[in-house]
Amino acid sequence: MSDKELYESAYKNQWCPGCGNFGILEAMKDAFGKLNIAPEKLLIVSGIGQAAKTPHFMKCNFLHGIHGRALSLALGAKIANQDLNIVVNSGDGDCYGEGGNHFIHAVRRNADMTLLVHDNRIYGLTKGQASPTSARGMTTPMQPDGVIAEPLNGPALALTMGAGFVARGFSGNVQHLSSLIQAAVQYKGFSVIDIFQPCVTFNRVNTAQWYKERIYELDNTDSRDDFHQAMKLAFETGDRIPVGILYAKKKQEFISQIKTLEKGPLIDRPYDPDRLGKTAQEYILS
Amino acid sequence: MSDKELYESAYKNQWCPGCGNFGILEAMKDAFGKLNIAPEKLLIVSGIGQAAKTPHFMKCNFLHGIHGRALSLALGAKIANQDLNIVVNSGDGDCYGEGGNHFIHAVRRNADMTLLVHDNRIYGLTKGQASPTSARGMTTPMQPDGVIAEPLNGPALALTMGAGFVARGFSGNVQHLSSLIQAAVQYKGFSVIDIFQPCVTFNRVNTAQWYKERIYELDNTDSRDDFHQAMKLAFETGDRIPVGILYAKKKQEFISQIKTLEKGPLIDRPYDPDRLGKTAQEYILS
Amino acid sequence: MDITILIGGAAGQGIQTIGALLAKACCKAGYFAMAVNDFESRVRGGHSFFQIRISNKPVYSPQKTVDLLIALDQNTWQTHKQSLSEKSVVLADEDFSTTGQVVPVAFEQLAKEIGSKLFVNTVAAAAGLRILGADLGTVQSVIKDHFSTLKPELLEKNLDAAQKGFEKVADVSFEQQPLTDPSVPKGNLISCAKAIALGAVAADCRVGAFYPMSPATGIMQHLTELSKRLDLVVEQAEDEIAAANIVIGASFAGARAMTATSGGGFCLMTEALGLAGMTETPMVIVNAMRPGPSTGLPTRTAQGDLRFAIHASQDDFPRFVFAPGTPEQAFEQTRKAFHLSEKYQVPAIILVDQYLMDALFMLEKPFSIDTHVERFIVADEDMPDPKNYERFAFTDSGVSPRALPCRGDALVKVSSDEHRPDGHITENIDIRNAMMEKRHAKLPAMIDELDEPAAVNPEARTILIGWGSSAGAIKEATKRLRDKGLDIGCLLFSHIWPFPATAVGKVLQNNPDRQYICVEMNAGAQFAGILKEYTDIVFSGYVLKYDGRPFTAAFIEDALKEKELA
Amino acid sequence: MDITILIGGAAGQGIQTIGALLAKACCKAGYFAMAVNDFESRVRGGHSFFQIRISNKPVYSPQKTVDLLIALDQNTWQTHKQSLSEKSVVLADEDFSTTGQVVPVAFEQLAKEIGSKLFVNTVAAAAGLRILGADLGTVQSVIKDHFSTLKPELLEKNLDAAQKGFEKVADVSFEQQPLTDPSVPKGNLISCAKAIALGAVAADCRVGAFYPMSPATGIMQHLTELSKRLDLVVEQAEDEIAAANIVIGASFAGARAMTATSGGGFCLMTEALGLAGMTETPMVIVNAMRPGPSTGLPTRTAQGDLRFAIHASQDDFPRFVFAPGTPEQAFEQTRKAFHLSEKYQVPAIILVDQYLMDALFMLEKPFSIDTHVERFIVADEDMPDPKNYERFAFTDSGVSPRALPCRGDALVKVSSDEHRPDGHITENIDIRNAMMEKRHAKLPAMIDELDEPAAVNPEARTILIGWGSSAGAIKEATKRLRDKGLDIGCLLFSHIWPFPATAVGKVLQNNPDRQYICVEMNAGAQFAGILKEYTDIVFSGYVLKYDGRPFTAAFIEDALKEKELA
Ligand SMILES: Cc1ncc(C[n+]2csc(CCOP(=O)(O)OP(=O)(O)O)c2C)c(N)n1
Ligand SMILES: Cc1ncc(C[n+]2csc(CCOP(=O)(O)OP(=O)(O)O)c2C)c(N)n1
Ligand code: SF4
Ligand code: SF4
Ligand SMILES: [Mg+2]
Ligand SMILES: [Mg+2]
């Protein structure tokens, strides 16, 4: 069975024709297929937004939660069952706006999961307001005089918070993106890919063409473990924008540092009334 | 009148004897005195925590709000009355934990105000849980096996979000801290000082002695407008830790970019029924 | 005359443009109109529709039966054919069997003949206008008017498209042809989103802060539009928590300020709501409700957050809750919310819903702007001793003189902890009790500020009770049932909290064998619960709806019949 | 015998240590005891106290009159002298005029004589023990026991300090000397914070997530302590929003999970509460209430979040709300909250308060641990066709079989949007209605799971009604008033929601001229409002308190007298 069929969702897609999200969906299917993660072994967690609808359009287990909170839901799931393969699909608004606080702290924790930020630099589902990554000066019905704030640089933010795996991808380059997703999923720890994703309906600035004129692929065989070098790459956002792995370095993963979790998934442990009873009795007296 | 008297609060201080907060309070009084900002011309906004109690202990206007939200309150006040001199006192938990999202977006906006983070690397008022800046491995009653997550680096985070003025201070060096506060307040835009502040009650790791052994003062006459250089300074957190201005560069301030605010404080504009009536009538028809 | 036109298609096909064109033309021709906007939570595709009701009498709610159906896709006629009657006319791109008359119009093909399927709108609009009785000249002038900003060659193409649409249906006879018989326009079409934004600026709102959320975004969109020409700044925040706190900060500094959101965002604002309550800082929050729980049905309508709005945030403090049901009320109550929020230094919540936000209603009289806006702010000059100013001074009314920070010698000190009159933290029992009582002391005067509920036939044996947006459909159902000979009336609340309990007795005339029926758009009969708590009304039944679509009079009638209540 | 000992001083002086020592010694000697912890929102300085009540009968609430006052500073005796009686004894560092007998003890000086003012605790504790009738041997063994982990030389110094304290008060005669007459211990002292943590682990809670907030932190502190020895992980989150969502994520993946917070944090959790409601994911939230609004009085007690807890989050969905009033109930209801939350796939809220969290109560019987914990989870084996598993399948009970993600062929698909049985988003009217009804279909069975309110003399003419933590004081007031000849009883609720309306009628015996009085710790008489909504009870009066300090029986008696209700 081809990956496309294997992960085919019976549910009808709701994105606009031509949306960059389709490329991301395709790259995900390709990557999971290559990694041999069956739909039944995949948990996708998402927030709310166009990006966050992704798991509906793919065969998998999913928790399509509330706006901005996917990373917290994912962390809870991971603590309960560390064997889960968790991928989080989030938007630039979902992840860096409403969910900004969880993003920075998720990076600090470094729990093993992969975050894909569909970065269309706009609020898509709510019809075209500026997002934290919108370019300065971009006008929208809500920002008639143009965006004032400095755009948030997701990869740089992740790096500063101590991320071990940071990449940039482009929805228009499915094979390359698939290779990034594969590397990210294989990374033991928290991995982030900020994915340039044209929104054909609301973002008339950062179009597919705009990206094609600017992006260049980094050589993935180069080692990328220099923090300050990675920061420089992350801030290359002008005429030339690198896509690829910006940084990859081994770091101690979160789950592996929790003593209680050394014995495997919490949910696999049987209920143990004897130990409980003893502990409770002693604790009452303490 | 000495600065101490000028800013003396009639309200009794509630901090623990020996707390680093006293040094910060003193430095603030000294700085405002030197800057000639009278108590009546000063608005302090704060969240909740020991740090956030600061304005009670000083003569000034204040809005002692809710946990983590001081920067949003401050932004609202600034938009309404751009003439306000706003200083925000926040804790490491208040600012980087509960308020993390507002911090990163406040930096992006660059509204003219000064943020003082009393960074005691602990939750003081709630009696000693780890904070986002607590050292890895530090144990507390709530982290009996030690803190797992990477400590959050406030100055680096501010830099990455595009801050134009970033400094580090130490509560134990009042004069130096005062000079930083003066520079920060004079900076036109969002200025941040992350202040090392020993918590004598709950943080037994980062004591005054600990800091004294490590910190060194940067020469404030050096120009500090190199971003990557500043990042390197921000990440010097080992045996040698620089205090002083890490970065200072002119950036376009927020208020000055809002057309409507070119004419001065919003609250100074008279009610204008004619313009309103005309606008409303036309708008109904549009 | 009372006809309903439904234009349906996929999101992105421009059905709202077609709808707006038809509705405007009818208004211009002197008819009353209202329109409902129905769409899914997606940007392209799926099914959406715009439903216009036109009458020579005022209309306040949608109708069930569709007289003219303009179906831009198959989905539309399949979905709506059960709403057609014998007399209905359907314009659809293919023929199908139904009650009523189908006129096949190959919208897309005709549009493409002009040059692009983008002209579908114009083809359909022109056809619709023709059916409603417009002659070619009228159609052309409507089109010209609507596309006045287009380049000449594009306008020309649109006129060609209009002619195609017009000709295609030239021979169709439709029972009602309002456009053949124009009279003086009765008013303008307006949504409650627009009315709220206008109410805010009429109250001299200076700061808006928001985070986008359907169906509240429209309000902030209108406010942003208005901010281009007024002393008003609208800021998009990073989240709803920030938005609410920006509002409080702005208000503290002296600007009237507001935010608008929906349930999920309101959740995130509840802590700030309490901050406003405790610090006695004015604040206006609009909660534009949509069906939940949680994300629910993001683009649909509900009245499910009533209890939540009344009780949100920890512990007790006074607040206002308004629930307008028309643009007039939306405007008036928004203005009132700002006024009262500032007068009593309490937060005010305006509860509306997606139906109100996105529907269009007829506004007969233009909104009036006051010559003067009363502010309730003191300055040094008003104080005997500014240096000893106390922000939370005890007063009989519970309202303390409110000064602004950094405007004089008076220091403004405000804390979310329980505080002394001077604003500093206290743990003292007596001060705590006195402060709690001070805040609650405002309640009697607050209740007195509120309007009594509106009543229709308050003497009737059966009384329907409703609130907010349901009022229109309830009023109409009442009228229809009275026309059928039923002894029925209704009681409609738009001033909700503090609950005007005694007003209920005043408005309703006694009737010994009365039956009460609550009509609301939620599953829990939430408003009925409040009446049970505060009055001795006993309900004989409920008409509840929670499918996300607005009430129609017919729905209420049917529900009453089914429950044998009418 | 029924005496009250109050130990007061500044935060950081160790009054809790002294208190714990005295209370433990009395328990060991076979007495019943309870203790209240009163402190300010600061870490050092100010005024705090620990108030112990000792009796030979079970005691459930604090008393007003202080029999033995140990005042470590002047502030203490100044604050508490009005609580003294003629028979009271005061140990204070200086003499002052008061009713009762003052014994000057230079605590700090004596401690310094041993080497450091840190020994103040031990000096004071030994003096207190002596006054209560302990001989030197008993004092020494209590001290040895308490300081068993100290280095020998430090222990020695503490013993010296104890001797000093002991000797200083050797001649003081105190009316009651419980320690002279020991018997078999009746139980252990425990706080409800501990009881809740133990209830959670007894329910096999595997994940805790929290953000620190008084007075809830204690629960998570105990859970953290317990996590060292159990299959339990406790994670401190970056904020309450994260904490609540971590709980939902963990629960979704199959672990029982909880969080604890107070009002401000609960505000931030309301959106997640709705997510649990919509996705039918089990979730346990403890809201340990403190006085608001907003930050309010962070270290004090209140029952002001009842209505908020019941109505929090947009639109209607079923939830459980419990309000235990004793450690037994706290343990039992926490266990029940986990059980029922999972059985019905709805969120459960446990409402407690600072008083319950920080007070110590006597636990007579050890908590029992079930031999088996019933989970309500299905796996592939339980399904006819795992590949077509539907997480939200329609059932008569409204409860759908719940599978866990990635545990077999069954795909678990969950959305916060309104969804089809298979978990995918829907905008379909019929499915929406059916889903809303499915969720609400659980309510009758949920109500059946709840206990009836406890009644004391349900036939009486006057019935006091209360809930949660107030139960102890209400029961005691009832008893005291009956002893005075009043025809009074009480009705005490700890299972609050879904409101067990019919149970009220069952429990209360009819009495034609009955009067009801609601007793609660809030300004709005919130629970009374629920009774008005759901029963036909009419209240003759209310005893409300909102000063942040717990009820005493005497307060209730006085209030009733003042209002001429008793
Ligand atoms: C608490 C809350 N606030 C706001 C919303 C409304 N909302 C839905 S999607 C969205 C933003 C979507 O932007 P992004 O995350 O960039 O996703 P995109 O649609 O662009 O893929 C918002 C604000 C919500 N659902 N919940
Ligand atoms: C919403 C909310 N959550 C939690 C709290 C409890 N709380 C009060 S202060 C504080 C943390 C204080 O830490 P920090 O900001 O570092 O200040 P410090 O006391 O160390 O100066 C917390 C969690 C609160 N008041 N509100
Ligand atoms: S609105 Fe933009 S992001 Fe959303 S589906 Fe359409 S093109 Fe994609
Ligand atoms: S607890 Fe720590 S931070 Fe708070 S006042 Fe005491 S020493 Fe300072
Ligand atoms: Mg986006
Ligand atoms: Mg701190």
PDB file of all heavy atoms in Angstrom, chain C residues 466-484:
ATOM      1  N   GLY C 466     -38.288  35.204  27.347  1.00  0.00           N
ATOM      2  CA  GLY C 466     -37.045  35.030  26.605  1.00  0.00           C
ATOM      3  C   GLY C 466     -36.099  36.172  26.889  1.00  0.00           C
ATOM      4  O   GLY C 466     -36.417  37.100  27.637  1.00  0.00           O
ATOM      5  N   TRP C 467     -34.930  36.107  26.309  1.00  0.00           N
ATOM      6  CA  TRP C 467     -33.922  37.135  26.551  1.00  0.00           C
ATOM      7  C   TRP C 467     -33.006  37.243  25.335  1.00  0.00           C
ATOM      8  O   TRP C 467     -32.882  36.297  24.555  1.00  0.00           O
ATOM      9  CB  TRP C 467     -33.121  36.820  27.817  1.00  0.00           C
ATOM     10  CG  TRP C 467     -32.359  35.525  27.776  1.00  0.00           C
ATOM     11  CD1 TRP C 467     -32.867  34.270  27.967  1.00  0.00           C
ATOM     12  CD2 TRP C 467     -30.961  35.355  27.508  1.00  0.00           C
ATOM     13  NE1 TRP C 467     -31.874  33.329  27.845  1.00  0.00           N
ATOM     14  CE2 TRP C 467     -30.687  33.968  27.568  1.00  0.00           C
ATOM     15  CE3 TRP C 467     -29.910  36.239  27.235  1.00  0.00           C
ATOM     16  CZ2 TRP C 467     -29.408  33.435  27.356  1.00  0.00           C
ATOM     17  CZ3 TRP C 467     -28.639  35.723  27.027  1.00  0.00           C
ATOM     18  CH2 TRP C 467     -28.391  34.341  27.095  1.00  0.00           C
ATOM     19  N   GLY C 468     -32.401  38.384  25.201  1.00  0.00           N
ATOM     20  CA  GLY C 468     -31.405  38.572  24.154  1.00  0.00           C
ATOM     21  C   GLY C 468     -31.951  38.338  22.763  1.00  0.00           C
ATOM     22  O   GLY C 468     -33.070  38.741  22.439  1.00  0.00           O
ATOM     23  N   SER C 469     -31.185  37.647  21.963  1.00  0.00           N
ATOM     24  CA  SER C 469     -31.460  37.528  20.544  1.00  0.00           C
ATOM     25  C   SER C 469     -32.745  36.782  20.209  1.00  0.00           C
ATOM     26  O   SER C 469     -33.246  36.898  19.105  1.00  0.00           O
ATOM     27  CB  SER C 469     -30.302  36.814  19.857  1.00  0.00           C
ATOM     28  OG  SER C 469     -30.280  35.457  20.255  1.00  0.00           O
ATOM     29  N   SER C 470     -33.271  36.020  21.147  1.00  0.00           N
ATOM     30  CA  SER C 470     -34.475  35.247  20.828  1.00  0.00           C
ATOM     31  C   SER C 470     -35.715  36.122  20.773  1.00  0.00           C
ATOM     32  O   SER C 470     -36.769  35.681  20.301  1.00  0.00           O
ATOM     33  CB  SER C 470     -34.704  34.149  21.862  1.00  0.00           C
ATOM     34  OG  SER C 470     -33.518  33.497  22.158  1.00  0.00           O
ATOM     35  N   ALA C 471     -35.592  37.342  21.255  1.00  0.00           N
ATOM     36  CA  ALA C 471     -36.758  38.220  21.370  1.00  0.00           C
ATOM     37  C   ALA C 471     -37.539  38.337  20.061  1.00  0.00           C
ATOM     38  O   ALA C 471     -38.771  38.236  20.060  1.00  0.00           O
ATOM     39  CB  ALA C 471     -36.311  39.592  21.860  1.00  0.00           C
ATOM     40  N   GLY C 472     -36.825  38.540  18.958  1.00  0.00           N
ATOM     41  CA  GLY C 472     -37.498  38.740  17.676  1.00  0.00           C
ATOM     42  C   GLY C 472     -38.427  37.588  17.343  1.00  0.00           C
ATOM     43  O   GLY C 472     -39.620  37.790  17.043  1.00  0.00           O
ATOM     44  N   ALA C 473     -37.912  36.377  17.397  1.00  0.00           N
ATOM     45  CA  ALA C 473     -38.706  35.202  17.035  1.00  0.00           C
ATOM     46  C   ALA C 473     -39.837  34.990  18.043  1.00  0.00           C
ATOM     47  O   ALA C 473     -40.945  34.583  17.680  1.00  0.00           O
ATOM     48  CB  ALA C 473     -37.814  33.964  16.962  1.00  0.00           C
ATOM     49  N   ILE C 474     -39.587  35.266  19.302  1.00  0.00           N
ATOM     50  CA  ILE C 474     -40.621  35.082  20.323  1.00  0.00           C
ATOM     51  C   ILE C 474     -41.769  36.067  20.078  1.00  0.00           C
ATOM     52  O   ILE C 474     -42.943  35.702  20.121  1.00  0.00           O
ATOM     53  CB  ILE C 474     -40.045  35.274  21.746  1.00  0.00           C
ATOM     54  CG1 ILE C 474     -39.020  34.179  22.048  1.00  0.00           C
ATOM     55  CG2 ILE C 474     -41.164  35.262  22.787  1.00  0.00           C
ATOM     56  CD1 ILE C 474     -38.272  34.364  23.369  1.00  0.00           C
ATOM     57  N   LYS C 475     -41.391  37.304  19.808  1.00  0.00           N
ATOM     58  CA  LYS C 475     -42.428  38.315  19.553  1.00  0.00           C
ATOM     59  C   LYS C 475     -43.281  37.908  18.358  1.00  0.00           C
ATOM     60  O   LYS C 475     -44.498  37.992  18.384  1.00  0.00           O
ATOM     61  CB  LYS C 475     -41.758  39.671  19.263  1.00  0.00           C
ATOM     62  CG  LYS C 475     -41.966  40.675  20.380  1.00  0.00           C
ATOM     63  CD  LYS C 475     -41.757  42.098  19.905  1.00  0.00           C
ATOM     64  CE  LYS C 475     -40.283  42.435  19.869  1.00  0.00           C
ATOM     65  NZ  LYS C 475     -40.025  43.866  19.654  1.00  0.00           N
ATOM     66  N   GLU C 476     -42.600  37.447  17.336  1.00  0.00           N
ATOM     67  CA  GLU C 476     -43.353  37.072  16.147  1.00  0.00           C
ATOM     68  C   GLU C 476     -44.237  35.854  16.406  1.00  0.00           C
ATOM     69  O   GLU C 476     -45.395  35.808  15.964  1.00  0.00           O
ATOM     70  CB  GLU C 476     -42.382  36.800  14.990  1.00  0.00           C
ATOM     71  CG  GLU C 476     -43.114  36.573  13.703  1.00  0.00           C
ATOM     72  CD  GLU C 476     -42.185  36.467  12.505  1.00  0.00           C
ATOM     73  OE1 GLU C 476     -41.042  36.960  12.605  1.00  0.00           O
ATOM     74  OE2 GLU C 476     -42.609  35.886  11.495  1.00  0.00           O
ATOM     75  N   ALA C 477     -43.697  34.894  17.129  1.00  0.00           N
ATOM     76  CA  ALA C 477     -44.505  33.707  17.446  1.00  0.00           C
ATOM     77  C   ALA C 477     -45.719  34.113  18.270  1.00  0.00           C
ATOM     78  O   ALA C 477     -46.839  33.623  18.051  1.00  0.00           O
ATOM     79  CB  ALA C 477     -43.654  32.688  18.200  1.00  0.00           C
ATOM     80  N   THR C 478     -45.512  35.013  19.210  1.00  0.00           N
ATOM     81  CA  THR C 478     -46.616  35.485  20.035  1.00  0.00           C
ATOM     82  C   THR C 478     -47.715  36.084  19.158  1.00  0.00           C
ATOM     83  O   THR C 478     -48.899  35.767  19.289  1.00  0.00           O
ATOM     84  CB  THR C 478     -46.104  36.563  21.023  1.00  0.00           C
ATOM     85  OG1 THR C 478     -45.058  36.007  21.795  1.00  0.00           O
ATOM     86  CG2 THR C 478     -47.220  37.046  21.934  1.00  0.00           C
ATOM     87  N   LYS C 479     -47.282  36.910  18.238  1.00  0.00           N
ATOM     88  CA  LYS C 479     -48.249  37.571  17.377  1.00  0.00           C
ATOM     89  C   LYS C 479     -49.011  36.546  16.534  1.00  0.00           C
ATOM     90  O   LYS C 479     -50.239  36.590  16.416  1.00  0.00           O
ATOM     91  CB  LYS C 479     -47.510  38.565  16.476  1.00  0.00           C
ATOM     92  CG  LYS C 479     -48.446  39.532  15.824  1.00  0.00           C
ATOM     93  CD  LYS C 479     -47.748  40.583  14.991  1.00  0.00           C
ATOM     94  CE  LYS C 479     -48.831  41.325  14.165  1.00  0.00           C
ATOM     95  NZ  LYS C 479     -49.762  40.409  13.484  1.00  0.00           N
ATOM     96  N   ARG C 480     -48.272  35.609  15.972  1.00  0.00           N
ATOM     97  CA  ARG C 480     -48.916  34.605  15.116  1.00  0.00           C
ATOM     98  C   ARG C 480     -49.907  33.771  15.905  1.00  0.00           C
ATOM     99  O   ARG C 480     -50.984  33.427  15.412  1.00  0.00           O
ATOM    100  CB  ARG C 480     -47.845  33.717  14.480  1.00  0.00           C
ATOM    101  CG  ARG C 480     -47.143  34.446  13.313  1.00  0.00           C
ATOM    102  CD  ARG C 480     -45.864  33.804  12.877  1.00  0.00           C
ATOM    103  NE  ARG C 480     -46.070  32.434  12.411  1.00  0.00           N
ATOM    104  CZ  ARG C 480     -45.257  31.822  11.555  1.00  0.00           C
ATOM    105  NH1 ARG C 480     -44.197  32.454  11.067  1.00  0.00           N
ATOM    106  NH2 ARG C 480     -45.502  30.576  11.179  1.00  0.00           N
ATOM    107  N   LEU C 481     -49.544  33.440  17.130  1.00  0.00           N
ATOM    108  CA  LEU C 481     -50.441  32.607  17.937  1.00  0.00           C
ATOM    109  C   LEU C 481     -51.660  33.420  18.385  1.00  0.00           C
ATOM    110  O   LEU C 481     -52.772  32.883  18.462  1.00  0.00           O
ATOM    111  CB  LEU C 481     -49.683  32.025  19.133  1.00  0.00           C
ATOM    112  CG  LEU C 481     -48.677  30.931  18.751  1.00  0.00           C
ATOM    113  CD1 LEU C 481     -47.716  30.639  19.894  1.00  0.00           C
ATOM    114  CD2 LEU C 481     -49.408  29.644  18.329  1.00  0.00           C
ATOM    115  N   ARG C 482     -51.454  34.671  18.701  1.00  0.00           N
ATOM    116  CA  ARG C 482     -52.610  35.523  19.054  1.00  0.00           C
ATOM    117  C   ARG C 482     -53.549  35.640  17.860  1.00  0.00           C
ATOM    118  O   ARG C 482     -54.766  35.586  18.010  1.00  0.00           O
ATOM    119  CB  ARG C 482     -52.159  36.935  19.452  1.00  0.00           C
ATOM    120  CG  ARG C 482     -51.526  37.007  20.818  1.00  0.00           C
ATOM    121  CD  ARG C 482     -51.392  38.455  21.292  1.00  0.00           C
ATOM    122  NE  ARG C 482     -52.674  38.997  21.710  1.00  0.00           N
ATOM    123  CZ  ARG C 482     -53.232  38.756  22.889  1.00  0.00           C
ATOM    124  NH1 ARG C 482     -52.609  37.999  23.770  1.00  0.00           N
ATOM    125  NH2 ARG C 482     -54.403  39.284  23.192  1.00  0.00           N
ATOM    126  N   ASP C 483     -52.949  35.763  16.665  1.00  0.00           N
ATOM    127  CA  ASP C 483     -53.772  35.846  15.460  1.00  0.00           C
ATOM    128  C   ASP C 483     -54.613  34.577  15.305  1.00  0.00           C
ATOM    129  O   ASP C 483     -55.695  34.598  14.738  1.00  0.00           O
ATOM    130  CB  ASP C 483     -52.903  36.048  14.218  1.00  0.00           C
ATOM    131  CG  ASP C 483     -52.298  37.455  14.188  1.00  0.00           C
ATOM    132  OD1 ASP C 483     -52.722  38.306  15.000  1.00  0.00           O
ATOM    133  OD2 ASP C 483     -51.384  37.697  13.371  1.00  0.00           O
ATOM    134  N   LYS C 484     -54.062  33.489  15.819  1.00  0.00           N
ATOM    135  CA  LYS C 484     -54.824  32.239  15.755  1.00  0.00           C
ATOM    136  C   LYS C 484     -55.788  32.118  16.924  1.00  0.00           C
ATOM    137  O   LYS C 484     -56.393  31.080  17.135  1.00  0.00           O
ATOM    138  CB  LYS C 484     -53.864  31.051  15.749  1.00  0.00           C
ATOM    139  CG  LYS C 484     -53.059  30.952  14.472  1.00  0.00           C
ATOM    140  CD  LYS C 484     -52.198  29.704  14.440  1.00  0.00           C
ATOM    141  CE  LYS C 484     -51.266  29.752  13.229  1.00  0.00           C
ATOM    142  NZ  LYS C 484     -50.135  28.849  13.376  1.00  0.00           N
TER     143      LYS C 484
END
